[in-house]
């Protein structure tokens, strides 16, 4: 009987065992590896070698004419978008030419825009205002000269005499309901300056009541001997405006501008008044658009009557004193009357002893 092979030999040969993949050890310096194997124990790696790598690569700067022009163009766009141009960025000559075409009220509005504009108007306002007066209001400026401040009188002896109570008390009792009393301690009290002060005060008061006159409303009347509080407040406000006009040419130009507006409104009222048969000034729409007083240089009714109270405002058309129509043109009173009146006033109130005997 043949020998039966062992049962184990009949089985299918088993597959060789699969070994688990071994994780390779962390990279370490060769010297460290050999040292740990040599001594037969594990040693921690050096902390200084475990440093995180940082990328220090940078973009190479481009240097070419094309790149420079492109960068300048982008910078200009950014500057234009962030800082828009204004009047302060203009050349001084162009800015000065623009402001000379403005009216005084525009300069006051400009000074309220920003601190820079206010400082500019404060510094250059007097010069600009004088040029505006010469261009727009030469006729009104000749009719309404400003009184002289005592501080502007160069002669100290004359200044001391004009501030004396003998001089200031002469005009203290001359009070109107519509004109503020002259400040003798600040302004010269000679007859010429006194009338100049009253004329400026009248302009400010006449401009205040224009809305009443246009609407046909009656101006409040003040009984004789009464001084209501509302009129005291109004006169005090008018006095402050007149003092500012004497000191500051810009305020003086603003007063002339308001009087030109009052005059044009009065002329239009009187033209529509069919009961008023007097001669009127010729006023056109072009004259109103120009905003100048050149139409007042033509022949028209002279200012003869002085408005001693507000009732005269109803028929007042053009208050232009200190001029007369002679030989086909208007002749204005000279500004030198102030010096003549001051000299005569001092000689009459403060005579020099022995001078009259010597002259006799």
């Amino acid at each position: 009987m043949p020998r039966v092979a062992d049962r184990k030999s009949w089985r299918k040969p088993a597959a060789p065992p699969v070994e688990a993949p071994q994780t390779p050890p962390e990279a370490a310096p060769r010297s460290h590896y050999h040292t740990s194997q040599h001594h037969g124990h594990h040693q921690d790696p050096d902390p200084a070698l475990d440093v995180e790598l940082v990328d220090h690569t940078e973009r190479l700067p481009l240097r070419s004419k094309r790149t420079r022009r492109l960068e300048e163009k982008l910078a200009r766009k950014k500057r234009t978008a962030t800082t828009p141009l204004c009047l302060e960025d203009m050349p001084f000559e162009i800015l000065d030419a623009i402001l000379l075409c403005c009216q005084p009220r525009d300069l006051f509005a400009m000074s309220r825009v920003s601190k820079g504009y206010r400082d500019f108007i404060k510094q250059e306002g007097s010069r600009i205002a004088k040029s505006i007066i010469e261009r727009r209001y030469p006729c009104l400026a000749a009719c309404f000269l400003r009184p002289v401040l005592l501080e502007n009188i160069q002669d100290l002896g004359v200044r001391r005499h004009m501030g004396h109570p003998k001089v200031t008390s002469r005009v203290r009792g001359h009070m109107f309901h519509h004109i503020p009393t002259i400040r003798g301690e600040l302004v010269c009290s000679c007859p010429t300056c006194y009338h100049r002060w009253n004329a400026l005060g009248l302009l400010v008061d006449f401009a205040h009541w224009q809305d009443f006159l246009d609407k046909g409303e009656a101006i409040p009347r003040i009984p004789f001997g009464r001084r209501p509080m509302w009129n005291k407040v109004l006169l005090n406000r008018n006095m402050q405006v007149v003092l500012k006009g004497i000191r500051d040419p810009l305020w003086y130009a603003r007063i002339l501008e308001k009087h030109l507006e009052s005059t044009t409104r009065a002329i239009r009222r009187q033209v529509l008044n069919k009961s008023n048969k007097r001669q009127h000034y010729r006023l056109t729409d072009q004259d109103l658009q120009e905003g100048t007083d050149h139409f007042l240089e033509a022949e028209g009714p002279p200012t003869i009557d002085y408005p001693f109270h507000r009732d005269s405002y109803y028929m007042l058309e053009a208050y232009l004193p200190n001029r007369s129509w002679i030989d086909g043109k208007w002749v204005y009173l000279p500004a030198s009357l102030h010096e003549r009146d001051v000299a005569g006033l001092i000689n009459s109130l403060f005579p020099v002893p022995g001078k009259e005997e010597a002259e006799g």
Side-chain angles (χ1 to χ4, degrees):
M1 184 175 180
R3 186 179 177 182
V4 180
D6 192 3
R7 290 179 181 270
K8 296 181 179 180
S9 62
W10 294 351
R11 298 175 181 175
K12 187 178 178 179
V18 180
E19 297 180 358
Q22 298 180 358
T23 304
E26 295 181 359
R30 186 174 182 81
S31 59
H32 173 72
Y33 175 78
H34 285 288
T35 305
S36 61
Q37 294 291 337
H38 176 71
H39 293 285
H41 64 275
H42 178 69
Q43 185 177 358
D44 295 334
D46 188 0
L49 299 176
D50 191 11
V51 180
E52 211 179 302
L53 296 178
V54 181
D55 188 8
H56 290 285
T57 58
E58 297 180 359
R59 184 180 178 182
L60 294 176
L62 301 178
R63 299 182 181 276
S64 64
K65 294 183 179 179
R66 182 178 179 182
T67 306
R68 187 175 66 253
R69 289 195 297 266
L70 181 59
E71 291 176 352
E72 292 176 355
K73 184 178 180 181
L74 294 175
R76 284 196 300 269
K77 287 184 178 180
K78 184 177 180 181
R79 184 171 60 252
T80 304
T82 55
T83 56
L85 296 177
C86 58
L87 290 177
E88 296 177 350
D89 298 328
M90 293 184 178
F92 180 79
E93 293 78 8
I94 299 178
L95 179 60
D96 188 62
I98 293 175
L99 295 180
L100 290 180
C101 298
C102 297
Q103 296 185 359
R105 64 169 178 267
D106 299 328
L107 299 181
F108 279 99
M110 179 180 174
S111 64
R112 292 191 291 268
V113 172
S114 64
K115 185 177 183 300
Y117 288 151
R118 183 173 66 253
D119 295 340
F120 178 80
I121 295 299
K122 186 177 180 180
Q123 181 179 0
E124 301 291 338
S126 299
R127 181 186 59 81
I128 297 175
K130 292 179 181 178
S131 301
I132 291 177
I133 291 173
E134 294 176 358
R135 180 176 178 270
R136 289 183 175 272
Y137 318 114
C139 177
L140 296 179
C143 292
F144 301 98
L145 297 176
R146 292 183 292 175
V148 180
L149 293 171
L150 292 180
E151 60 186 28
N152 293 336
I153 298 179
Q154 301 298 329
D155 194 334
L156 297 180
V158 174
R159 184 191 306 177
R160 185 175 62 254
H161 284 134
M162 296 308 298
H164 196 274
K166 283 186 178 181
V167 180
T168 58
S169 60
R170 295 175 60 256
V171 295
R172 190 171 300 170
H174 298 183
M175 300 184 66
F176 298 93
H177 287 303
H178 61 307
I179 299 176
T181 306
I182 188 173
R183 296 288 299 275
E185 69 278 8
L186 299 176
V187 184
C188 177
S189 302
C190 71
T192 299
C193 292
Y194 172 73
H195 290 293
R196 292 177 182 178
W197 170 278
N198 289 346
L200 291 179
L202 181 63
L203 300 191
V204 179
D205 190 73
F206 185 48
H208 175 76
W209 299 104
Q210 287 302 309
D211 292 338
F212 282 75
L213 298 174
D214 288 341
K215 297 177 183 178
E217 298 180 2
I219 299 176
R221 299 191 63 181
I222 301 176
F224 181 77
R226 301 290 184 86
R227 296 178 183 175
M229 181 56 63
W230 66 266
N231 193 60
K232 290 182 180 180
V233 175
L234 178 60
L235 291 181
N236 184 65
R237 184 187 67 87
N238 295 348
M239 179 185 63
Q240 298 300 327
V241 173
V242 173
L243 288 176
K244 291 178 180 178
I246 297 174
R247 296 180 181 276
D248 190 355
L250 185 57
W251 275 92
Y252 176 56
R254 177 60 177 156
I255 294 176
L256 298 181
E257 179 190 11
K258 289 295 294 184
H259 185 57
L260 179 62
E261 179 184 350
S262 303
T263 302
T264 55
R265 295 169 70 174
I267 291 176
R268 294 212 158 187
R269 284 197 306 269
Q270 299 304 325
V271 169
L272 297 176
N273 186 4
K274 296 182 180 180
S275 62
N276 188 355
K277 302 299 182 180
R278 295 179 301 178
Q279 180 185 4
H280 306 290
Y281 283 95
R282 185 175 179 272
L283 179 64
T284 63
D285 294 336
Q286 183 179 359
D287 296 331
L288 293 175
Q289 294 177 0
E290 290 179 355
T292 63
D293 63 357
H294 298 327
F295 69 95
L296 295 175
E297 296 178 356
E299 184 179 4
T303 300
I304 301 176
D305 299 331
Y306 184 82
F308 288 97
H309 44 75
R310 293 192 177 109
D311 291 342
S312 304
Y313 292 169
Y314 296 106
M315 298 298 294
L316 183 61
E317 179 175 346
Y319 178 63
L320 301 170
N322 302 324
R323 71 172 187 172
S324 300
W325 184 263
I326 300 176
D327 297 336
K329 63 179 181 179
W330 291 105
V331 179
Y332 299 88
L333 293 179
S336 59
L337 291 179
H338 162 72
E339 288 79 6
R340 188 193 66 180
D341 288 349
V342 167
L345 191 62
I346 292 177
N347 292 333
S348 61
L349 296 179
F350 306 97
V352 179
K355 184 177 181 180
E356 296 180 356
E357 298 178 358
E359 290 178 355

